Amino acid sequence: MRTSSLSERPEQQRPRRLADWLNPTAERKVHSLVDKIYQRKNLAVAREKVKRNRGAGGIDGVDVAAFEADLEGNLERLHVELKEGTYAPQPVLQHLIPKAGKPGECRALGIPTIYDRVCQQAILNRLEPIFEPIFDDANFGYRSGRSTKDALKKIWRELKSLHPVVYVSLRLFKNLVGWVLVLAGILMLVLPGQGILTIIMGLVLSDFPGKYALERRLASKQRVLDGINWIRRRSGHPPLVPPQI
C-alpha cells in the first residue's frame, strides 16, 4: 500500500487507463474483467453477501426471501444479461428517514433491488482487490474497515509528527475551550439542561488524569442524571438508567 501524508502534493500525471495503473511496466498482459464479473461462481458469492446483509427489497417489491425462491433463475438471468450487455439497473426506491432531534426533516435513502444489489456486489468482488492496494493511505471514504474516526486519528498523527507546533497549539486550545465550557456550565446550573450539557461538553474536550472516573461520578449524581435525561427526552431518546451497584 502506498504511504502518504496529508501535506503531500497530488500527482499531476496519472495513468488514464486501468491497465496502466495495474501494469505500468507492461511486463504482463491485462485482460478484461467483464467475463470475471458475470461468472456464475462470482454471482453466487455476491448473492451470499447480499443475503447476509439482509435489508429491504427495492422498487420491484422483491425481498431476499422472494429472490431466494427463484435463485437459480435469477442468477442465470443476471449472468446472461451481463454477458450479452443487456443488463439495465432499475430505479432505486426512495425511503425517507426522520432526522433525530429535527422534527419535520428527513434524509433520503435509496434502496436498490435485490437483483441490482447482487450485480453491484459481483462488480465489487472483482474491483476491490484491484483498487484497494493502489488507493492512497490518506483515503478513508467508502473503504472497508475505515471510518471517520480513523481519518481523525491520522490527522492527529500527521500533525504530531510533521507539525508539532500546530499539534501542541491545537491540544492547548482544545483543553482551554473544554475548561471554559465547564466553567460556563457551572455558572448555568440554574438552567439544568443547558448547564449540564455545557459541563459534559467541556469534560469531553478536556484531557486530564482521572477524566473518565470524574465523568462516571458526575453522571451518577441525581441532579446530573436528571439533566442528562432532560436532554435525551428533548432529542427523543429513552432515559439513561444507571447500573445498580
Side-chain angles (χ1 to χ4, degrees), residues 200-218:
I200 293 175
M201 289 175 59
L203 290 176
V204 169
L205 285 173
S206 303
D207 295 319
F208 57 90
K211 167 184 173 179
Y212 297 108
L214 177 60
E215 288 176 342
R216 287 194 296 268
R217 288 179 56 189
L218 186 63

Side-chain angles (χ1 to χ4, degrees), residues 196 218-233 239-242:
I196 295 299
L218 186 63
S220 66
K221 303 297 183 181
Q222 188 59 47
R223 186 175 181 184
V224 176
L225 187 61
D226 291 342
I228 294 174
N229 286 333
W230 178 82
I231 297 168
R232 292 177 66 85
R233 285 195 301 272
L240 181 67
V241 179

Side-chain angles (χ1 to χ4, degrees), residues 160-178:
K160 188 175 183 179
S161 61
L162 300 176
H163 308 283
V165 175
V166 176
Y167 172 78
V168 172
S169 299
L170 287 175
R171 292 297 296 265
L172 290 174
F173 176 75
K174 185 168 74 76
N175 278 277
L176 176 62
V177 171

